[in-house]
Amino acid sequence: MAREFTSVAVVGLGTMGAGIVEVFARFGHNVLASDISEDAVERGRQKIIGSTDRAVAKGKLTEADRDALLARINFVVGLERLDTVDLVIEAVPEQLELKQRIFAELDRVCKPEAILATNTSSLSVTEISVATGRPNQVVGLHFFNPAPVMKLVEVVRTVVTAPDVITDVEALCARLGKTDVTISDRAGFIANALLFGYLNHAVQMFESRYATREDIDAAMKYGCGLPMGPLALMDLIGLDTAYEILDTMYRRGGRDRRHAPVPLIKQMVTAGLLGRKSGRGFYTYEKPGSPVIVADEQTPVADSASADAARGITKVGVVGSGTMATGIVEVFAKAGYEVVSVTRGAEKSARVRAAIENSLNKGVARGKLSETDRDAALARVTSSANLEDLADVDLVVEAVVEELSVKKALFANFDEICKPGVVLATTTSSLPVVEVAMATQRPADVVGLHFFNPAQVMPLVEIVETIRTSAETAATARAVTAALRKVGVSCTDRSGFIVNALLFPYLNDAVKMLEANYATADDIDHAMKLGCGYPMGPFELLDVVGLDVSLAITRELYLELREPGFAPAPLLEHLVTAGYLGRKTGRGFRDYTKR
């Protein structure tokens, strides 16, 4: 029988501490809310009042419930009055010495049976616990921001944490309406260990001017369905906090250089550009603490000269018969373009047309498309099994198998067949666009147009310029993407472009975490979905994408960037060798044949 916690204290009333106080008070607990000074306590009080007032305004809390919630909170200065509580949760800044001092003082003040918990997101719970005379009663309780909303709590046990302490706090999490994952004490735990490598990589991408802040963030929002782009998320977390977490993970986690904070982060912290809380970070905000982004010197402006340079496109050829090619044909036809769909035979052409008809009919059934628009879109599509029919198109989009030799041979054919001035685009997701371009005598006309699957639904297109792509070709690609009502993001020709370069190292890290037996696939998926708001956990996503495809992309990234941390996880390679490729074979990281 898990113990009841009749009284709880929270030490530190910053954003996270105030949120934790609110969580406990919402569920009927009497809470002592403590901070170092009257001013700090008052700031915490105002955070809680503001949060609960917003909940009332949104209809998520009645006024009576808000008043009762606030009545359960007793604000105090210092630690001396925490002598009667059953549980203390520390939520002060991520500084080991500070936390150790607080825990030593809590050990002196609190009753012997009280459990002492830390909300640290990256520091060693073990090192914090040894500052007390009761390390067996110390545990990590890592809530996620905003604590009243986010469902995940990472319960972190040390090698000496008593089993009944873990049982008690797991039961408490359930009573608070939270989902807990219980893990051992390791740098970054689950969520931050996977999240901050990705965030650091995104900052490096921005620092190297590979892509703009807007394009990096848009790529991950619209290409992966994430709630925020990585740079906007860094601003929300706070660059000073992010720096401390990365630095701690680097020092505690085997000095993996992918966790070594990108120099730009330290420079911005030193300059006081801390993100939303200071009014400026990667973006500029209306005022400190505001979520409203305002224009600054880095905000893109419309380039009319570039738009004027775009070539006119009225007829498009799409080569391929797979899911991606079929979706791209539909996207262009619905946008009003005449489309020549070229496949390797009448049977494949019939399948493509049937799939397009089926998709358009679903759009009509769902009220997203009129019957007239459906019929008009179908009428714009001409099927062919002959590349010669691309002779008069203005744009060719290649969407065949992801093999460089096949694409190069195809582009050499385009070079022979297509008229001068045609834009030649490849939808490759990982291969070098420039190698495809150099198979032609017109590399200035070649560009990458990386659509995302399913192309009819996914709003993102990565526009990839090689070192030989002309400004006119790039402008045309941007204009066409806009005409398709897609979100276009521009980048240069580097393995993985933006999305895959950021996504697949994160997925690979998740596989390595599973391989090390640190956490189960279910717990890792829960951590990223509930703690970070991701639409799918990494193992769900890997099984959907296909483990063979994921391994191929990971290998391409590793071979080009030569970053040791990007080397494919052996477990991923073994599963592919065994034929466990994900949903398409019935088994990947999970077994779908038993469902």
Side-chain angles (χ1 to χ4, degrees):
M1 187 81 178
R3 70 189 282 188
E4 291 287 338
F5 295 93
T6 57
S7 59
V8 177
V10 177
V11 178
L13 301 180
T15 301
M16 183 56 72
I20 295 170
V21 170
E22 183 180 334
V23 168
F24 278 95
R26 275 182 184 240
F27 283 85
H29 291 270
N30 293 317
V31 187
L32 282 175
S34 168
D35 213 318
I36 193 170
S37 67
E38 291 284 0
D39 286 345
V41 166
E42 184 57 29
R43 286 194 296 271
R45 187 200 311 271
Q46 293 306 316
K47 286 186 176 75
I48 296 167
I49 291 172
S51 175
T52 53
D53 283 349
R54 287 191 295 274
V56 170
K58 293 175 181 177
K60 296 182 178 181
L61 201 65
T62 67
E63 290 188 10
D65 286 342
R66 175 201 57 197
D67 294 343
L69 182 159
L70 294 174
R72 287 191 283 269
I73 304 170
N74 187 10
F75 293 92
V76 299
V77 176
L79 306 179
E80 291 299 329
R81 293 177 59 186
L82 310 189
D83 57 329
T84 62
V85 299
D86 302 312
L87 170 68
V88 181
I89 301 173
E90 163 274 312
V92 303
E94 287 286 273
Q95 299 167 19
L96 181 60
E97 290 184 1
L98 173 61
K99 290 180 186 284
Q100 287 176 326
R101 287 200 305 272
I102 288 173
F103 270 74
E105 186 64 11
L106 289 172
D107 189 39
R108 181 187 68 79
V109 169
C110 295
K111 60 188 182 183
E113 63 273 23
I115 292 174
L116 308 182
T118 174
N119 184 59
T120 183
S121 59
S122 60
L123 296 173
S124 168
V125 178
T126 304
E127 289 188 49
I128 294 169
S129 74
V130 296
T132 77
R134 58 178 98 180
N136 61 320
Q137 289 169 234
V138 176
V139 65
L141 277 182
H142 180 213
F143 289 78
F144 286 75
N145 191 28
V149 175
M150 302 303 283
K151 293 293 185 182
L152 184 73
V153 176
E154 289 177 320
V155 177
V156 186
R157 59 172 177 253
T158 74
V159 291
V160 296
T161 305
D164 62 317
V165 169
I166 299 299
T167 301
D168 291 343
V169 297
E170 286 175 338
L172 174 64
C173 289
R175 293 197 297 273
L176 294 174
K178 302 293 186 184
T179 298
D180 69 90
V181 293
T182 300
I183 47 181
S184 56
D185 186 18
R186 187 177 109 167
F189 314 134
I190 296 176
N192 281 355
L194 297 179
L195 176 66
F196 275 85
Y198 150 73
L199 295 179
N200 203 39
H201 189 184
V203 177
Q204 186 277 327
M205 192 176 277
F206 173 69
E207 183 186 49
S208 66
R209 300 185 181 181
Y210 177 66
T212 67
R213 62 188 181 182
E214 287 84 3
D215 281 354
I216 293 169
D217 279 354
M220 300 314 290
K221 283 180 64 179
Y222 296 108
C224 297
L226 302 187
M228 296 181 76
L231 302 180
L233 180 56
M234 287 283 282
D235 276 357
L236 176 62
I237 292 168
L239 272 69
D240 51 345
T241 301
Y243 179 84
E244 292 295 337
I245 291 172
L246 282 165
D247 188 54
T248 299
M249 288 174 57
Y250 174 71
R251 288 184 285 104
R252 287 189 62 209
R255 298 190 178 272
D256 183 340
R257 68 186 186 192
R258 289 178 308 128
H259 290 145
V262 171
L264 178 61
I265 302 175
K266 183 62 177 292
Q267 293 165 17
M268 292 176 73
V269 171
T270 303
L273 306 178
L274 307 182
R276 283 192 191 183
K277 59 188 173 186
S278 68
R280 187 166 180 185
F282 289 103
Y283 296 91
T284 300
Y285 297 87
E286 193 174 47
K287 60 183 179 180
S290 170
V292 179
I293 295 173
V294 297
D296 59 20
E297 65 276 7
Q298 293 187 58
T299 302
V301 294
D303 186 352
S304 57
S306 175
D308 291 343
R311 301 172 193 169
I313 304 292
T314 57
K315 191 172 184 179
V316 178
V318 179
V319 181
S321 57
T323 302
M324 183 58 76
T326 302
I328 293 171
V329 171
E330 180 182 335
V331 166
F332 275 100
K334 284 197 296 188
Y337 291 94
E338 296 294 321
V339 186
V340 180
S341 171
V342 181
T343 69
R344 289 186 298 171
E347 184 179 341
K348 289 183 182 294
S349 289
R351 283 206 300 267
V352 168
R353 189 167 188 88
I356 293 170
E357 286 186 24
N358 183 51
S359 177
L360 292 173
N361 285 334
K362 287 180 180 177
V364 171
R366 292 169 182 164
K368 296 182 177 181
L369 194 69
S370 70
E371 291 186 3
T372 301
D373 288 341
R374 173 199 62 194
D375 296 342
L378 283 170
R380 295 187 194 105
V381 179
T382 302
S383 298
S384 171
N386 191 346
L387 289 175
E388 299 292 336
D389 289 332
L390 299 174
D392 64 341
V393 302
D394 306 306
L395 165 67
V396 179
V397 180
E398 165 274 309
V400 301
V401 65
E402 194 77 340
E403 291 183 16
L404 186 58
S405 60
V406 174
K407 292 181 187 289
K408 288 173 72 172
L410 196 53
F411 271 72
N413 282 329
F414 295 160
D415 204 30
E416 296 283 337
I417 295 166
C418 295
K419 65 186 181 182
V422 68
V423 173
L424 306 178
T426 173
T427 63
T428 182
S429 61
S430 59
L431 298 174
V433 178
V434 70
E435 290 203 38
V436 176
M438 295 310 293
T440 76
Q441 298 301 309
R442 52 176 104 178
D445 294 330
V446 179
V447 68
L449 282 180
H450 179 213
F451 290 79
F452 286 74
N453 194 27
Q456 308 95 311
V457 176
M458 297 297 284
L460 186 74
V461 177
E462 289 179 315
I463 301 165
V464 186
E465 300 176 41
T466 77
I467 198 169
R468 297 289 297 270
T469 303
S470 71
E472 185 183 23
T473 299
T476 305
R478 288 193 290 272
V480 168
T481 302
L484 295 176
R485 296 184 179 177
K486 298 288 188 183
V487 176
V489 297
S490 297
C491 59
T492 54
D493 186 21
R494 195 173 80 179
S495 187
F497 313 136
I498 298 174
V499 173
N500 285 350
L502 293 177
L503 175 64
F504 280 89
Y506 148 74
L507 296 176
N508 196 46
D509 283 346
V511 179
K512 291 178 180 178
M513 185 177 283
L514 176 67
E515 190 173 46
N517 295 311
Y518 179 65
T520 66
D522 286 344
D523 279 353
I524 294 169
D525 278 355
H526 281 318
M528 300 314 293
K529 289 165 67 177
L530 301 179
C532 299
Y534 282 23
M536 301 178 76
F539 297 105
E540 289 178 281
L541 183 55
L542 281 161
D543 279 353
V544 168
V545 170
L547 274 62
D548 52 340
V549 174
S550 302
L551 178 60
I553 293 172
T554 303
R555 281 176 173 164
E556 286 289 338
L557 286 168
Y558 176 59
L559 288 172
E560 178 165 321
L561 302 176
R562 303 292 177 173
E563 167 58 60
F566 288 175
L571 176 59
L572 181 60
E573 295 183 315
H574 295 165
L575 288 169
V576 171
T577 302
Y580 296 161
L581 307 184
R583 287 183 179 270
K584 60 188 174 187
T585 61
R587 185 166 178 181
F589 286 99
R590 294 183 173 90
D591 188 345
Y592 300 93
T593 61
K594 298 177 181 178
R595 300 186 179 191

